[in-house]
């Protein structure tokens, strides 16, 4: 962006007309920035709606994953309880196995005769019936003992198998829902990052719009006011050749049409960009009178010098200024210090030469 202010001895009507044309140009550019900002705002709203839908899908995926995770945790909890139960049953199994082994060894060693001895040793019929009842209970207990041990063993094995099967199924389901959740969370994060970038882009266009409108207002003030006008300088050069370079450095951007380094738009570059370091002195290209020393939107800290004969020079993006309005300067005198204020991507001196308000190539004057 550039605000070109030509303060020279040309007729006031011509000067005002040039400023009005430049004001219209900046207002047109401002409207273009506003249009781009509005377009991005519409895109932000569309992407925000997409993000809202993604949020809903992500919430659903998160809920499904939590449900599967809870089921898996519950199964693992049951397996823990079952493991504890298995320890108890294992000890009970060992005890009953020992009792059963003792009973078997007793039968093996003494044989069934021990039961007959018990029966035949009865003193009378009543004693016989009592002994028979006792024998039935012993035999029944032996039977129950064996089957209890076997049933409990079967119960342990069945429960363990069921839990292992449940755990495997639920673990697979939990893994799938976790993967789906992660995918949705990544989509939401990408959409959020995209929206944030678009908001940042919109902020850039809004800032450029504000700067362009500020430049338009500044030019309008210059058209209405008279405090920028000074008498033509009598100490300046002829305005054709004889100028010196304001700083020594490489040309980083030529005069003419170029791609703007910040906005990416094709724009007419009204001067030369000369690379330099922060704080190095910027010298007057030719003697004359300082007609402006201050901030101009886009240019940052700016100095404009009237050299007479309709020729002015402009020095932009300065870190600081060393002169003031109305001051006479000599060729080579330090007028400012190199910087990167305004719309700039690095320290340099933006150097313009204008003839009757129109930008011309500085090469013809250097």
């Amino acid at each position: 962006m550039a605000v070109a202010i030509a303060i020279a001895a040309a007729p006031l009507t011509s000067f005002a007309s040039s400023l009005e044309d430049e004001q219209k140009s900046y207002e047109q550019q401002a409207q273009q920035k506003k249009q781009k900002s509005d377009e991005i705002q519409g895109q932000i709203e569309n992407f925000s709606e997409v993000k809202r839908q993604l949020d809903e899908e992500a919430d659903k995926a998160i809920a499904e994953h939590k449900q599967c995770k809870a089921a898996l945790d519950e199964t693992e909890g049951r397996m823990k309880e079952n493991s504890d139960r298995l320890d108890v049953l294992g000890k009970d199994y060992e005890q009953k196995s020992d009792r059963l082994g003792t009973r078997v060894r007793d039968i093996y060693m003494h044989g069934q005769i021990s039961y007959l001895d018990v029966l035949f040793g009865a003193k009378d019929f009543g004693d016989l019936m009592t002994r028979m009842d006792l024998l039935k209970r012993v035999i029944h207990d032996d039977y129950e003992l064996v089957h209890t041990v076997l049933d409990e063993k079967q119960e342990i094995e069945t429960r363990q198998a069921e839990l292992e099967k449940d755990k495997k199924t639920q673990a697979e389901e939990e893994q799938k829902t976790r993967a789906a959740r992660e995918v949705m969370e990544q989509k939401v994060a990408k959409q959020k990052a995209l929206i944030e970038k678009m908001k940042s882009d919109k902020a850039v266009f809004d800032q450029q719009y504000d700067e362009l409108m500020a430049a338009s207002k500044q030019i309008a003030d210059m058209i209405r006011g008279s405090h920028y006008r000074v008498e033509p300088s009598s100490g300046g050069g002829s305005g054709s050749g004889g100028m010196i370079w304001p700083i020594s450095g490489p040309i980083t951007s030529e005069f003419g049409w170029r791609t703007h380094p910040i906005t990416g738009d094709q724009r007419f570059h009204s001067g030369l960009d000369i690379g330099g370091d922060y704080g190095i002195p910027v010298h007057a290209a030719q003697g004359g009178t300082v007609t402006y020393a201050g901030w101009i939107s886009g240019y940052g800290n700016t100095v404009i010098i009237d050299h007479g004969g309709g020729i002015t020079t402009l020095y932009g993006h300065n870190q600081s200024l060393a002169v003031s309005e109305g001051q006479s300067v000599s060729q080579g005198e330090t007028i400012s210090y190199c910087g990167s204020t305004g719309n700039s991507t690095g320290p340099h001196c933006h150097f313009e030469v204008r003839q009757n308000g129109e930008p011309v190539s500085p090469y013809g004057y250097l």
Side-chain angles (χ1 to χ4, degrees):
M1 183 194 312
V3 176
I5 308 173
I7 311 297
L12 181 59
T13 54
S14 175
F15 173 66
S17 176
S18 175
L19 288 178
E20 287 174 354
D21 291 341
E22 193 160 5
Q23 181 186 14
K24 291 179 181 179
S25 173
Y26 279 103
E27 289 178 350
Q28 289 175 355
Q29 293 182 55
Q31 290 305 314
Q32 292 175 358
K33 299 302 178 183
K34 186 176 185 303
Q35 181 179 357
K36 288 185 178 180
S37 176
D38 292 342
E39 290 175 356
I40 293 178
Q41 180 59 40
Q43 293 176 354
I44 290 175
E45 293 174 359
N46 292 335
F47 279 104
S48 296
E49 174 61 21
V50 173
K51 182 179 179 296
R52 184 190 65 79
Q53 297 175 0
L54 289 175
D55 285 336
E56 292 180 355
E57 295 179 16
D59 290 342
K60 182 179 179 182
I62 291 172
E64 290 178 353
H65 174 248
K66 287 183 177 179
Q67 184 178 1
C68 290
K69 186 66 168 61
L72 179 60
D73 292 342
E74 193 274 337
T75 298
E76 290 178 344
R78 287 175 55 199
M79 291 187 68
K80 177 63 171 59
E81 294 176 359
N82 185 62
S83 179
D84 296 338
R85 177 61 179 161
L86 288 175
D87 292 340
V88 174
L89 290 177
K91 294 177 181 178
D92 191 34
Y93 173 78
E94 291 178 359
Q95 293 176 356
K96 291 179 179 179
S97 294
D98 291 342
R99 288 176 55 192
L100 179 59
T102 299
R103 182 70 66 188
V104 171
R105 285 195 301 273
D106 182 66
I107 293 175
Y108 175 76
M109 293 176 64
H110 299 286
Q112 295 299 328
I113 188 63
S114 58
Y115 293 99
L116 295 177
D117 289 342
V118 172
L119 293 176
F120 290 135
K123 298 178 179 179
D124 51 34
F125 183 74
D127 187 24
L128 175 64
M129 296 302 296
T130 300
R131 293 190 177 204
M132 288 182 64
D133 183 61
L134 290 173
L135 286 174
K136 287 180 181 180
R137 292 183 181 182
V138 170
I139 293 171
H140 181 268
D141 286 347
D142 288 343
Y143 179 82
E144 288 296 325
L145 181 63
V146 171
H147 280 275
T148 296
V149 172
L150 293 177
D151 290 343
E152 289 184 352
K153 184 175 182 297
Q154 183 64 39
E155 178 187 355
I156 294 172
E157 294 174 347
T158 300
R159 184 180 301 175
Q160 184 71 3
E162 290 176 352
L163 289 175
E164 288 292 344
K165 182 179 179 181
D166 291 343
K167 180 181 178 181
K168 181 179 179 181
T169 300
Q170 291 169 352
E172 293 174 352
E173 189 65 21
E174 189 273 338
Q175 184 177 4
K176 287 193 296 185
T177 56
R178 183 175 69 251
R181 170 180 178 170
E182 291 173 352
V183 168
M184 291 309 304
E185 288 176 338
Q186 290 174 0
K187 287 183 178 180
V188 170
K190 289 181 179 179
Q191 194 74 5
K192 181 180 178 181
L194 179 60
I195 292 174
E196 291 301 319
K197 183 181 182 304
M198 294 178 70
K199 288 181 177 179
S200 176
D201 292 342
K202 181 180 182 299
V204 170
F205 283 115
D206 289 342
Q207 180 181 0
Q208 292 174 350
Y209 171 80
D210 292 340
E211 291 176 350
L212 287 164
M213 292 306 294
S216 174
K217 181 179 182 302
Q218 185 172 1
I219 293 175
D221 292 340
M222 293 172 65
I223 294 173
R224 291 192 297 267
S226 61
H227 60 284
Y228 285 99
R229 296 196 299 272
V230 298
E231 295 300 322
S233 170
S234 59
S238 65
S240 59
M243 291 187 180
I244 64 171
W245 291 87
I247 64 172
S248 177
I251 302 300
T252 58
S253 185
E254 292 283 356
F255 173 83
W257 287 97
R258 66 167 185 170
T259 300
H260 195 278
I262 295 178
T263 65
D265 297 336
Q266 285 291 322
R267 293 188 183 180
F268 182 77
H269 190 224
S270 54
L272 293 175
D273 285 348
I274 309 169
D277 294 330
Y278 287 102
I280 66 172
V282 177
H283 306 286
Q286 195 173 47
T289 302
V290 176
T291 59
Y292 185 81
W295 184 274
I296 296 179
S297 178
Y299 277 124
N301 291 322
T302 304
V303 173
I304 299 175
I305 301 176
D306 172 21
H307 305 287
I311 303 299
T312 59
T313 54
L314 180 148
Y315 313 77
H317 306 304
N318 299 282
Q319 186 177 51
S320 60
L321 306 180
V323 294
S324 57
E325 292 182 24
Q327 179 178 339
S328 295
V329 294
S330 302
Q331 186 178 54
E333 183 176 343
T334 298
I335 58 173
S336 60
Y337 298 93
C338 186
S340 185
T341 56
N343 288 348
S344 171
T345 58
H348 69 283
C349 174
H350 174 81
F351 176 60
E352 288 188 10
V353 176
R354 293 207 171 221
Q355 184 175 22
N356 296 326
E358 295 298 324
V360 293
S361 174
Y363 288 116
Y365 294 81
L366 292 166

